[in-house]
Amino acid sequence: MPDTDTLARFAAVVGARCALSDGMDMQKYLVERRDKYFGKAAMVLRPGSTAEVSQILAIAHETGTGIVPQSGNTGLVGGQIPDDSGREVVVSLDRMNTVRGADATENTITVDGGVTLQAVHEAAEAIDRQFPLHLASQGSCMIGGNLASNAGGIGVLAYGNARDLCLGLEVVLADGRVWDGLRRLRKDNTGYDLKDVFIGSEGTLGVITGAVLRLFARPRDVALAFAAVDTPADGLRLLELARQATSGQVTACELVPRIGVEFTMRHAGARDPLDAPSPWYVMLELSSALPGGRLAGEMEAALADAFERGVVGDATIAASQGQMDALWHIRESLSDVQKLEGGSIKHDVAVPVALTPLLIDEATAVVERLVPGARPVPFGHLGDGNIHFNVSQPAGADKAAFLARWEEINAAVHEVVLRLGGTISAEHGIGQMKRDLMPGIKSAVELDLMRSLKQALDPRGILNPHKLLPEAE
Amino acid sequence: MPDTDTLARFAAVVGARCALSDGMDMQKYLVERRDKYFGKAAMVLRPGSTAEVSQILAIAHETGTGIVPQSGNTGLVGGQIPDDSGREVVVSLDRMNTVRGADATENTITVDGGVTLQAVHEAAEAIDRQFPLHLASQGSCMIGGNLASNAGGIGVLAYGNARDLCLGLEVVLADGRVWDGLRRLRKDNTGYDLKDVFIGSEGTLGVITGAVLRLFARPRDVALAFAAVDTPADGLRLLELARQATSGQVTACELVPRIGVEFTMRHAGARDPLDAPSPWYVMLELSSALPGGRLAGEMEAALADAFERGVVGDATIAASQGQMDALWHIRESLSDVQKLEGGSIKHDVAVPVALTPLLIDEATAVVERLVPGARPVPFGHLGDGNIHFNVSQPAGADKAAFLARWEEINAAVHEVVLRLGGTISAEHGIGQMKRDLMPGIKSAVELDLMRSLKQALDPRGILNPHKLLPEAE
């Protein structure tokens, strides 16, 4: 526990109203939304400016106080939640929510770290542009956390991760100094790429207080198809055909298994999009900045061609915004509906794109061998090789008994993933959840390089302690 | 000078034939092609494998020998040339030229660091794909250097820099250990982004011996226009109109001034592309993976619309590959023809895209004030805000007297660039040429962060000494 004097100094920086120490007041900063991670804190600080964050970190550095940066508190691996010592201080960016500027000619927007993703979307649309990062949590999650965790999502196929969408950063360093890297440049080869050191570092190397983000032309023509395929491999073939046979950009290529459609019909009011069931589906979206509605016709021609080649069976193309929403509703409900089917053991994995079908086959086989009757629901970003390989419990089985096998099933699925040259965290990061798996997935050289960076940038180890990097042995 | 024993150990790693110490043999590794930078070396080593590079660096680390990594020796800022002490050892990757593999479904290619850019293009085309990095030096330059310097070029507008085209790296570290980061993944959030630390670090943090690169569909329809505009601002307006009014991707948007066209007509056999002269031209290229030749018609419609709005004057669209080549010949000759007009003082600068017209105006004004009669030839990547602001000497003036003002003119142009939030090295890097300018363009915090990384990854300072980072004061 930091001593009273230190806490008073912290409070003086932000003012009493923004220095929370009452348990009730702090609660929402200490519990993750799914109740999976919860911690304690000596204090929750809500600075209103980069200068205040700077002063907080200077005090933390001097006193050796552990700081847990937090923005929207929507992370899925516990990276934003303090430990249970009660000695750490949470620094929330939720008051730093100013859109500093946006420029349509330049295609950039500059924001505070605490601006929500939704607010970025709205500011972009106000100047007839789009920011192509879309997450289920976009009403709550904030850009600081999106960048600290290098968020992904459906748009990665066309636009890249959060990393690829960021031109410049403002970061408060571990000792309180501020690095002003808020560049608005498309090209800049003047020294080391500091920006990408901080992006994806999960708050362990600095606190991202501001960012310059890339904007894009809004699509004026969008076509969405829901196509039945026999196998994930056929899904990849369809992607390739669509890339070669349409003028738009392929902006989504999502895999949905039959069981996922059935879950959404049962629990989320979805209607079966096609007349006959199919083992797999692909949701394919084309977008173009050119108005005129030609994409639907091109999509139809591409699907007809794919049908001729035996790559797809039946398919439907959304004929209205309502139909489009209904199809996306299926995809977007897939996580939630699994909860209503009992326990679910999750994997956020990726392999080289061409190996995705093999990943699904092999992981399904090992899971079914370990837990007969278990129901894999592999879905997600087929075009990126990133599958949310979630496994629902056997129907009617005991939930707790199934969930007790979490680590065993994780280990078996991850073994497949690693053998295929894949990653056990494609989108969500390491945080607390996967920290102790790091020695099993990284070489000693790679862990050592990461520790060298940590030591160089946070020599006292005050930034998000015990997250991401396991202690050296 | 490393002692005889150390040199013998180096030679034993690669074998006598690949350990050059004779002045004539070493010559081509010690002189940069434009004769601008030349150095001395104790030895030039030509390892044939990553394991040999590893052994060389282990010896260098132990003995404190400075190592200058070199691949194609085409860098423009002297980063690949040793100093004149004769104590450094050049490690050339020119024998490491194996294409390790390429995969069309995955859209990746894996290569040694010494594979030429041209060889990557050919290997990609062999599987019906493209690698969209194009440089004038592509027959000589090699991927290791392209990544170490984060090479740019005309394709950046649509495809990004070398950094954006790389999925994974193999790097030999300063102490000889090998980091195998040859991932072929589109998404991987498992710890710090080490790849981007090495990319653009100009051989000062590690030696890039292998890389996984991204491939793309080959364009099957390309349209190229050469359009007269009154101002660079109109050029940006044309880019915006083309983005909104065509179905293809805008894959080039290059600015060419009238004086540049005149130089190429005088010295490079070019023909005036349009009937009447115009102060500025934009070369606009559209590409699509969809065959069918619709882009030329779309380009024509976009240009007609731009004409109606007063954004462009006359314009021509290439009607054949021959016409396309002739138009590109103008753009690609611009550097060379300047040599035939006497001395030329160069700037590789970028500003936020929307400020490019202001950059050109202001830099032109300061140059004309400093050297009446000097002839600015600002050309290049308008869509990225990256202008090669080259200044030819006044016609008939003394070349040496003009070139003697290099630093004075640089300082004046850079002052404009920095005031507009720009960079003094958009593409070429820092190397030797701009190292001493770093304190003037970077904050103390940023330089300190860079020095922390250098210290963490190369504590003995053996990798490309005295390049990129100035010594701390």
Side-chain angles (χ1 to χ4, degrees):
Chain A
M1 184 84 182
D3 62 27
T4 319
D5 177 54
T6 302
L7 291 178
R9 288 174 67 195
F10 281 133
V13 172
V14 295
R17 284 190 47 207
C18 295
L20 316 179
S21 53
D22 175 79
M24 286 286 284
D25 294 342
M26 292 199 291
Q27 184 65 11
K28 72 170 191 169
Y29 300 92
L30 303 181
V31 181
E32 181 251 17
R33 279 152 209 243
R34 298 164 308 165
D35 282 334
K36 202 172 178 98
Y37 297 98
F38 37 88
K40 296 176 184 160
M43 197 169 242
V44 173
L45 299 171
R46 303 178 62 214
S49 67
T50 302
E52 289 183 5
V53 177
S54 165
Q55 291 171 54
I56 291 166
L57 289 198
I59 297 168
H61 189 254
E62 178 197 326
T63 57
T65 308
I67 294 291
V68 179
Q70 187 181 100
S71 58
N73 191 8
T74 60
L76 297 171
V77 292
Q80 75 279 19
I81 301 295
D83 68 15
D84 58 6
S85 70
R87 287 197 296 266
E88 297 180 340
V89 169
V90 173
V91 174
S92 170
L93 296 184
D94 62 358
R95 288 179 60 226
M96 292 180 59
N97 45 27
T98 302
V99 174
R100 301 189 194 178
D103 186 317
T105 312
E106 208 171 281
N107 281 311
T108 65
I109 184 169
T110 305
V111 297
D112 282 356
V115 170
T116 64
L117 181 52
Q118 185 68 43
V120 174
H121 288 160
E122 287 163 10
E125 283 158 22
I127 58 166
D128 196 27
R129 291 293 180 273
Q130 65 153 329
F131 181 62
L133 180 67
H134 293 276
L135 302 170
S137 58
Q138 61 199 31
S140 314
C141 68
M142 297 168 188
I143 290 299
N146 295 151
L147 290 167
S149 62
N150 187 27
I154 288 169
V156 173
L157 185 67
Y159 298 100
N161 285 309
R163 179 185 306 288
D164 303 300
L165 301 175
C166 177
L167 292 176
L169 284 185
E170 176 188 85
V171 179
V172 179
L173 306 179
D175 59 7
R177 288 180 302 166
V178 178
W179 173 53
D180 179 356
L182 286 175
R183 316 235 157 89
R184 294 163 14 229
L185 303 170
R186 303 285 160 165
K187 287 177 165 179
D188 181 17
N189 279 344
T190 53
Y192 304 150
D193 177 17
L194 299 173
K195 170 172 74 70
D196 284 307
V197 170
F198 295 106
I199 295 174
S201 71
E202 302 185 21
T204 66
L205 299 178
V207 180
I208 296 172
T209 51
V212 181
L213 306 172
R214 296 174 64 188
L215 300 180
F216 295 81
R218 291 175 79 174
R220 287 183 168 72
D221 188 10
V222 177
L224 179 65
F226 197 95
V229 291
D230 281 342
T231 61
D234 279 341
L236 284 177
R237 284 182 201 109
L238 175 60
L239 171 61
E240 173 68 12
L241 287 173
R243 279 184 167 147
Q244 293 189 352
T246 66
S247 65
Q249 233 186 334
V250 179
T251 43
C253 177
E254 296 288 306
L255 183 72
V256 180
R258 176 64 196 170
I259 190 174
V261 172
E262 285 170 2
F263 284 7
T264 60
M265 289 163 61
R266 200 177 298 158
H267 303 296
R271 288 177 52 183
D272 205 340
L274 301 175
D275 292 337
S278 164
W280 298 94
Y281 303 91
V282 169
M283 293 186 66
L284 200 69
E285 186 190 74
L286 299 173
S287 303
S288 169
L290 183 66
R294 72 157 65 131
L295 289 182
E298 290 183 9
M299 180 77 92
E300 201 171 335
L303 289 169
D305 178 42
F307 181 81
E308 290 292 315
R309 294 167 191 249
V311 169
V312 301
D314 195 11
T316 181
I317 299 172
S320 66
Q321 187 62 48
Q323 287 183 19
M324 222 174 263
D325 294 344
L327 292 176
W328 277 123
H329 177 64
I330 295 174
R331 167 65 185 83
E332 283 161 2
S333 306
L334 286 174
S335 282
D336 284 343
V337 293
Q338 280 201 276
K339 289 177 198 153
L340 303 166
E341 290 284 332
S344 170
I345 296 177
K346 295 171 190 292
H347 308 83
D348 167 36
V349 298
V351 293
V353 177
L355 301 180
T356 321
L358 197 58
L359 163 73
I360 294 172
D361 281 354
E362 296 201 11
T364 298
V366 300
V367 164
E368 287 176 347
R369 196 158 56 235
L370 283 173
V371 185
R375 296 170 297 167
V377 189
F379 69 93
H381 318 302
L382 181 63
D384 299 314
N386 174 200
I387 296 297
H388 296 292
F389 194 86
N390 294 356
V391 183
S392 282
Q393 65 172 66
D398 181 69
K399 180 176 175 180
F402 177 72
L403 290 179
R405 303 187 67 178
W406 186 291
E407 288 182 13
E408 179 193 0
I409 290 179
N410 271 190
V413 170
H414 290 167
E415 190 278 325
V416 173
V417 168
L418 295 172
R419 187 157 38 76
L420 297 177
T423 176
I424 67 163
S425 187
E427 297 192 316
H428 300 162
I430 298 297
Q432 303 183 33
M433 183 189 256
K434 297 180 180 173
R435 191 194 70 146
D436 294 333
L437 300 177
M438 288 283 274
I441 64 165
K442 297 289 181 188
S443 66
V445 170
E446 185 156 337
L447 285 177
D448 201 56
L449 280 170
M450 290 188 190
R451 290 196 184 100
S452 299
L453 291 188
K454 175 72 173 172
Q455 176 66 26
L457 297 179
D458 179 21
R460 299 203 61 179
I462 62 160
L463 282 171
N464 222 1
H466 321 301
K467 308 282 169 56
L468 193 148
L469 263 184
E471 322 292 327
E473 287 174 9
Chain B
M1 181 85 180
D3 63 27
T4 318
D5 176 51
T6 302
L7 291 176
R9 288 174 69 196
F10 280 132
V13 172
V14 295
R17 283 190 48 207
C18 295
L20 316 179
S21 53
D22 175 78
M24 287 287 283
D25 294 342
M26 293 199 289
Q27 184 65 11
K28 72 172 192 167
Y29 300 93
L30 304 181
V31 181
E32 182 251 15
R33 278 151 209 245
R34 298 164 308 166
D35 283 332
K36 200 170 180 105
Y37 297 99
F38 38 89
K40 295 176 184 161
M43 200 169 238
V44 173
L45 299 171
R46 303 177 62 214
S49 67
T50 302
E52 289 183 6
V53 177
S54 165
Q55 291 170 55
I56 291 166
L57 289 198
I59 297 168
H61 189 254
E62 178 196 326
T63 57
T65 309
I67 293 290
V68 180
Q70 187 181 100
S71 57
N73 190 10
T74 60
L76 297 172
V77 291
Q80 76 280 20
I81 301 294
D83 67 17
D84 59 6
S85 69
R87 287 197 296 267
E88 297 181 340
V89 169
V90 173
V91 174
S92 170
L93 296 183
D94 62 357
R95 288 180 59 229
M96 293 181 59
N97 46 28
T98 301
V99 175
R100 301 188 193 177
D103 187 318
T105 312
E106 208 172 280
N107 280 311
T108 67
I109 184 169
T110 305
V111 297
D112 283 356
V115 170
T116 64
L117 181 52
Q118 185 68 43
V120 174
H121 288 161
E122 287 164 10
E125 283 158 23
I127 58 167
D128 196 27
R129 291 292 182 272
Q130 65 154 328
F131 181 62
L133 180 68
H134 293 277
L135 300 170
S137 58
Q138 60 199 31
S140 314
C141 68
M142 296 168 189
I143 290 299
N146 294 153
L147 290 168
S149 62
N150 188 27
I154 288 169
V156 173
L157 186 68
Y159 299 100
N161 284 310
R163 179 185 306 288
D164 303 299
L165 301 174
C166 177
L167 291 176
L169 284 185
E170 177 187 87
V171 179
V172 179
L173 306 179
D175 59 6
R177 288 181 303 166
V178 178
W179 173 53
D180 179 355
L182 287 175
R183 314 236 157 89
R184 285 147 42 216
L185 302 171
R186 302 285 160 164
K187 288 177 165 178
D188 181 17
N189 278 345
T190 53
Y192 304 150
D193 177 17
L194 300 173
K195 170 171 74 68
D196 285 308
V197 171
F198 295 107
I199 295 174
S201 71
E202 303 186 21
T204 66
L205 300 178
V207 180
I208 296 172
T209 52
V212 181
L213 306 172
R214 295 175 66 186
L215 300 179
F216 295 81
R218 291 174 78 174
R220 287 181 170 72
D221 187 10
V222 177
L224 178 65
F226 198 94
V229 291
D230 281 343
T231 61
D234 279 342
L236 285 178
R237 285 182 202 109
L238 175 60
L239 171 60
E240 173 68 11
L241 288 173
R243 279 185 166 145
Q244 292 188 353
T246 65
S247 65
Q249 232 184 334
V250 180
T251 43
C253 177
E254 296 288 306
L255 183 73
V256 180
R258 177 64 195 172
I259 191 174
V261 172
E262 285 170 1
F263 283 7
T264 61
M265 288 163 63
R266 199 176 302 156
H267 303 295
R271 289 177 51 182
D272 206 340
L274 301 175
D275 292 337
S278 165
W280 299 95
Y281 304 91
V282 169
M283 292 186 67
L284 199 70
E285 185 189 74
L286 299 174
S287 303
S288 168
L290 184 66
R294 75 158 63 131
L295 289 182
E298 291 183 8
M299 180 78 92
E300 201 171 332
L303 288 169
D305 178 41
F307 181 82
E308 290 292 314
R309 294 168 191 249
V311 169
V312 301
D314 194 13
T316 181
I317 299 172
S320 66
Q321 186 62 47
Q323 287 184 16
M324 221 174 263
D325 293 345
L327 292 176
W328 277 123
H329 176 65
I330 294 174
R331 167 65 184 84
E332 284 161 3
S333 305
L334 287 174
S335 282
D336 284 343
V337 292
Q338 280 201 276
K339 290 177 200 156
L340 303 167
E341 289 284 333
S344 170
I345 296 178
K346 295 171 191 292
H347 309 82
D348 167 36
V349 299
V351 292
V353 178
L355 302 180
T356 321
L358 197 58
L359 163 73
I360 293 172
D361 282 356
E362 296 200 9
T364 298
V366 299
V367 164
E368 287 175 347
R369 196 157 57 235
L370 282 173
V371 185
R375 297 169 296 168
V377 190
F379 70 93
H381 318 302
L382 181 63
D384 300 314
N386 174 200
I387 297 297
H388 297 292
F389 193 87
N390 294 356
V391 184
S392 282
Q393 65 172 66
D398 182 68
K399 179 175 174 180
F402 178 71
L403 290 179
R405 304 186 67 179
W406 186 290
E407 289 182 12
E408 180 193 0
I409 290 179
N410 272 190
V413 170
H414 290 167
E415 190 278 325
V416 174
V417 169
L418 295 172
R419 186 157 38 75
L420 299 178
T423 176
I424 68 162
S425 187
E427 297 193 315
H428 301 162
I430 299 297
Q432 304 183 34
M433 182 188 257
K434 298 180 180 173
R435 192 193 71 146
D436 294 333
L437 301 177
M438 288 283 273
I441 64 166
K442 297 289 181 187
S443 66
V445 170
E446 185 155 336
L447 284 177
D448 202 55
L449 280 170
M450 290 187 191
R451 290 196 184 100
S452 298
L453 291 188
K454 175 73 174 173
Q455 176 67 26
L457 297 179
D458 179 21
R460 299 203 60 179
I462 62 161
L463 282 171
N464 221 0
H466 322 301
K467 307 283 169 55
L468 192 150
L469 263 183
E471 324 291 328
E473 283 170 14

